[in-house]
Amino acid sequence: MSSDSSKKRKPKVIRTDGGPQEGKRGKADADQDVRYYSEECEVDLRDPIKDYELYRETCQELQRLMAEIQELKSRGIKDNASEIDERRIQSCVHFMTLKKLNRLAHIRLKKGRDQTHEAKQKVDAYHLQLQNLLYEVMHLQKEITKCLEFKSKHEEIELVSLEEFYKEAPPEISRPAITLSEPHQQTLARLDWELEQRKRLAEKYKECLTSKEKILKEIEVKKEYLSSLQPRLNSIMQASLPVQEYLFMPFDQAHKQYETARHLPPPLYVLFVQASAYGQACDKKLVVAIEGSVEEAKALYKPPEDSQDDESDSDAEEEQTTKRRRPTLGVQLDDKRKEMLKRHPLSVTVDLKCKDENVLHLTFYYLMNLNVMTVKAKVTTAVEMTTAISAGDLLSPDSLLNCLYPGDHGRKTPNPANQFQFDKVGILTLSDYVTELGHPYVWVQKLGGLHFPKDQPQHTVTADNSLSASHMELTVKLLRTRLQSRLALHKQFASLEHGVVPVSSECQHLFPTKIVSRLVKWTAIPYEDYAELPYTKDVIEAGLAEDTHLYYMALIERGTGRHVSFPWQLPIPTPDTPRAASGGLCGKSLQLEALWAAGDISSLPYSAKLQAAVVLNPGYSTLPPVFSLCLNWKGERTSSNDDNIRAMESEVNVNYKELWGPKPGYQLLTNQLQRLCMVLDVYLETEPHDTSVEGPKEFPQEKMCLRLVRGPMRLKPFKFNYPQGFFSHR
């Protein structure tokens, strides 16, 4: 390659001092061409490192000569012209050396490129050969794999074992003399025997088909007979309905219920079966029924229509949709929410009857897309109950079943997967829809056999009969206890609102014969008002007051009949004082008469008022009410500034077991209120007399006490001892 390129170059033109001689090319030109082309050979003989050192030395000499010429010119002396010419000649020689080194460098570069190109061509040729060889190897491997993986049709046939073959096959097929030594002949013989066996089985199959046709004909005849028998049985069942009603054996109704139960979703079906079984075996007053539209339930499980029908109607639907306005994003979200919160058309109702004929109606629903159950409650009383303002929340469907089990408020869905579904449609919490859908209590899920573990990875939750059966008995007992306790409280609240604390004859021994303090007010208060009271903070901090509890305010008061220290010495009337005892009134006495006439005894002077904030746990009476006291008498006295007020609270909050009364302890609340009236009497009667005030003692002592006070805290004797009738310290 290098020789060809060198031949194509033009010969170098040599210039002389006399001017150019372009037209005359003589021997000198030929010698110059030889010298020019001999540089390529010279490159192989010269050392590049030495050429580089020569290049550096030449450059340094040029720099030195140029500096000297510059210095000589700067002097401006005419005698220096010869020296400048001499140095110019030397510089030209060095320039010629640099040109020659440059040519040699270019020649070396060209040779290096040519060598690299030749080496790359060799590498490409070798790489192409390698690819061809690899492709041939891959092709051969595929062919080998095909040969190794080749399967004949006879390999798919399950042949009998060799022992059975030589034992059952006849000698003309097995040919042991040949097949034992030759595997190929052995396989052919086994295939022949398999063919012979299959021919026999085919003949047997034809015989079985003929017998099957005969049996099918007999079945058809019997079906016709049974179909004609069904109307007769229906007529017999209709005729036996009066007998069923007379013997309390509703077989026909039960049969219809079980037919309807086939269309229930699995959780409701489990609840229906387990509740019916428990009612038949253990609780005859438990009634289970199914409500709802069976036709809608059947429509849920119908297969979708053919796609062809949908395509045929698609054009008409498109025309209608184009005419209508496209729904907004809000409307679409509402539709998605309704679809997600959709209930199953069928529901299960459970009626729990008590001994006094009061009934608790429970209706269980199933939310299909959320896979949870909900319940709605309703109470029916045998006798119309007296309406009490403070008893409004006792039988409310939203709070009746709260905390049936501890911590089960029924506000959040128990299924953790529902939160991700809510996020898609913009639902913050299920508590906004419980009024319409019902409460998803955890015990409701267990009655339906649903369990949602939170500490383990959650798989598909299915209804479990054993889970429902294990919780059925305890839940039914808790529901009946809750109903009876709320009805008992309802009756008690009606009396408390009229200022009467009902105490049964079984609990009369817990209190003295005479109690002067009396209940003057009993009202229900919201949780926010309870939390704002300064003397209830300890109860809230202890976690004994939650927003699911019920809150009430009781006002217990004891008035006094002693004379007021006014100049006219007018006695302040008490509720037992006749109207004429007040005499003629004027000035401040007119204000007292107005308070007495209005019945506002709590505003009269020299009366002690005890405010009791009551927390009623939903699990009453298993869990006792909690009282917080504040006495308004000569200042405000609470448990934080009076040890005796704290002792009064402990009498009702700590020693409540003494006040339980007969089981199941539904009179606990009224007994606690009666004890508060009793201990208020003791508190006021044992107070020391103020000697600075003239007249008799404000609250004369009517209770017999062994010791008025005891210990450094000066605690009063609040414990009543029966039948001795005196009070002592605990």
Side-chain angles (χ1 to χ4, degrees), residues 54 68 127 188 332 364 395 439 441 469 489 497 567 587 593 620 624 668:
L54 178 61
E68 290 178 357
H127 185 265
L188 293 177
Q332 293 178 358
F364 295 89
L395 301 180
H439 292 267
Y441 297 109
L489 285 174
E497 287 185 358
E593 183 191 35
Y620 176 87
L668 175 60

Side-chain angles (χ1 to χ4, degrees), residues 380-577:
T380 303
T381 57
V383 182
E384 186 177 357
M385 303 184 67
T386 305
T387 56
I389 299 175
S390 59
D393 294 336
L394 290 178
L395 301 180
S396 173
D398 294 333
S399 61
L400 178 60
L401 303 180
N402 276 352
C403 299
L404 190 66
Y405 287 89
D408 191 3
H409 306 303
R411 295 177 179 174
K412 298 181 180 179
T413 172
N415 188 354
N418 294 158
Q419 191 58 45
F420 300 98
Q421 296 175 290
F422 292 163
D423 295 340
K424 292 182 179 179
V425 297
I427 297 177
L428 298 178
T429 177
L430 191 63
S431 59
D432 300 333
Y433 303 90
V434 293
T435 305
E436 178 184 357
L437 302 176
H439 292 267
Y441 297 109
V442 177
W443 59 267
V444 175
Q445 317 308 317
K446 292 181 179 179
L447 290 184
L450 298 177
H451 178 58
F452 302 97
K454 297 183 179 179
D455 55 347
Q456 297 177 359
Q458 185 175 357
H459 304 285
T460 303
V461 179
T462 56
D464 185 6
N465 280 283
S466 59
L467 179 64
S468 176
S470 62
H471 289 79
M472 182 63 66
E473 183 176 5
L474 178 59
T475 304
V476 170
K477 290 182 179 179
L478 290 176
L479 288 170
R480 188 170 277 118
T481 303
R482 174 63 62 85
L483 175 61
Q484 293 174 348
S485 65
R486 291 298 175 91
L487 291 174
L489 285 174
H490 196 284
K491 294 179 182 178
Q492 294 170 10
F493 284 5
S495 300
L496 295 177
E497 287 185 358
H498 291 83
V500 179
V501 182
V503 179
S504 62
S505 58
E506 295 88 350
C507 302
Q508 290 290 346
H509 65 280
L510 299 174
F511 312 103
T513 307
K514 183 179 180 181
I515 298 178
V516 182
S517 299
R518 64 188 186 90
L519 178 69
V520 296
K521 188 177 181 182
W522 174 264
T523 57
I525 59 174
Y527 173 74
E528 292 75 13
D529 293 351
Y530 179 88
E532 290 178 359
L533 296 174
Y535 51 90
T536 59
K537 294 182 179 179
D538 294 340
V539 178
I540 297 175
E541 292 175 357
L544 300 176
E546 300 178 359
D547 55 354
T548 55
H549 295 176
L550 303 176
Y551 298 91
Y552 301 93
M553 177 64 73
L555 180 61
I556 300 174
E557 186 181 52
R558 178 170 176 176
T560 176
R562 58 170 285 217
H563 290 271
V564 189
S565 298
F566 292 141
W568 49 84
Q569 293 294 321
L570 175 68
I572 298 176
T574 62
D576 299 330
T577 306

Side-chain angles (χ1 to χ4, degrees), residues 3 28 40 58 82 119 176 267 301 304 321 413 441 464 530 609 672 714:
S3 62
E40 295 182 356
T58 304
S82 59
Y301 301 101
T321 53
T413 172
Y441 297 109
D464 185 6
Y530 179 88
K609 296 180 293 183
Q672 286 177 310
R714 315 296 288 173

Side-chain angles (χ1 to χ4, degrees), residues 559-562 606-607 633-634 689 696-700:
T560 176
R562 58 170 285 217
Y606 299 101
S607 63
W633 181 65
K634 296 182 180 180
H689 178 58
K697 189 177 181 182
E698 185 175 358
F699 298 101

Side-chain angles (χ1 to χ4, degrees), residues 110-354:
K110 183 178 181 303
K111 283 188 176 183
R113 287 177 177 174
D114 294 341
Q115 292 175 359
T116 303
H117 182 67
E118 291 176 0
K120 286 176 66 177
Q121 286 182 341
K122 290 182 181 180
V123 171
D124 292 340
Y126 290 146
H127 185 265
L128 181 61
Q129 293 178 5
L130 176 62
Q131 293 296 326
N132 293 335
L133 292 175
L134 290 176
Y135 180 77
E136 291 180 4
V137 169
M138 183 177 65
H139 177 70
L140 293 175
Q141 287 178 348
K142 288 182 178 179
E143 294 298 325
I144 293 170
T145 305
K146 288 181 181 179
C147 295
L148 293 176
E149 294 179 352
F150 175 76
K151 291 184 179 180
S152 179
K153 288 291 183 181
H154 77 278
E155 295 181 0
E156 299 176 0
I157 302 173
E158 294 182 3
L159 302 177
V160 296
S161 62
L162 291 175
E163 296 178 358
E164 294 180 2
F165 171 67
Y166 286 111
K167 183 178 180 181
E168 297 177 358
E172 58 270 14
I173 295 178
S174 62
R175 296 177 294 168
I178 300 174
T179 57
L180 288 174
S181 58
E182 296 184 10
H184 179 63
Q185 294 295 331
Q186 185 185 63
T187 304
L188 293 177
R190 293 175 68 186
L191 290 173
D192 292 338
W193 174 240
E194 184 70 22
L195 178 61
E196 186 68 23
Q197 282 184 323
R198 294 197 176 192
K199 287 180 180 179
R200 295 177 185 176
L201 292 174
E203 294 176 358
K204 190 175 181 180
Y205 173 70
K206 292 179 181 179
E207 295 176 359
C208 292
L209 283 179
T210 55
S211 63
K212 178 184 177 182
E213 292 177 357
K214 292 180 181 180
I215 294 172
L216 287 175
K217 290 180 180 179
E218 294 177 0
I219 291 173
E220 289 296 331
V221 173
K222 292 181 179 178
K223 279 185 177 179
E224 292 178 0
Y225 173 74
L226 292 175
S227 60
S228 62
L229 186 63
Q230 183 65 32
R232 299 178 184 177
L233 292 175
N234 290 336
S235 61
I236 294 172
M237 289 294 295
Q238 290 294 330
S240 65
L241 286 179
V243 180
Q244 294 180 22
E245 294 178 0
Y246 181 76
L247 298 177
F248 300 101
M249 300 170 65
F251 296 111
D252 187 59
Q253 184 180 359
H255 177 70
K256 291 180 180 178
Q257 287 286 320
Y258 281 109
E259 284 295 325
T260 308
R262 295 171 53 191
H263 305 287
L264 287 172
L268 290 181
Y269 181 79
V270 169
L271 171 64
F272 174 76
V273 172
Q274 295 298 330
S276 300
Y278 178 77
Q280 294 174 7
C282 305
D283 193 346
K284 300 298 181 183
K285 294 187 177 183
L286 188 143
V287 181
V288 186
I290 301 175
E291 294 181 354
S293 175
V294 181
E295 297 300 327
E296 293 182 8
K298 290 180 180 178
L300 292 175
Y301 301 101
K302 283 185 179 180
E305 297 180 357
D306 296 337
S307 59
Q308 296 179 355
D309 298 338
D310 297 338
E311 292 176 359
S312 62
D313 299 336
S314 61
D315 297 335
E317 291 178 358
E318 287 179 1
E319 292 178 0
Q320 293 179 359
T321 53
T322 53
K323 293 180 180 179
R324 297 175 184 174
R325 179 181 293 180
R326 178 175 293 180
T328 60
L329 182 60
V331 176
Q332 293 178 358
L333 276 178
D334 290 340
D335 295 339
K336 289 181 180 179
R337 290 170 189 156
K338 292 179 181 178
E339 181 64 24
M340 181 168 292
L341 302 175
K342 188 177 180 181
R343 297 188 302 202
H344 195 273
L346 296 178
S347 59
V348 176
T349 61
V350 178
D351 295 342
L352 289 174
K353 295 183 180 179
C354 300

Side-chain angles (χ1 to χ4, degrees), residues 682 685-686 701 703-708 717 725-728:
V682 175
E685 293 175 7
T686 55
Q701 183 175 348
K703 309 293 187 295
M704 184 172 59
C705 305
L706 296 182
R707 295 177 60 184
L708 296 182
F726 62 86
F727 288 83
S728 63

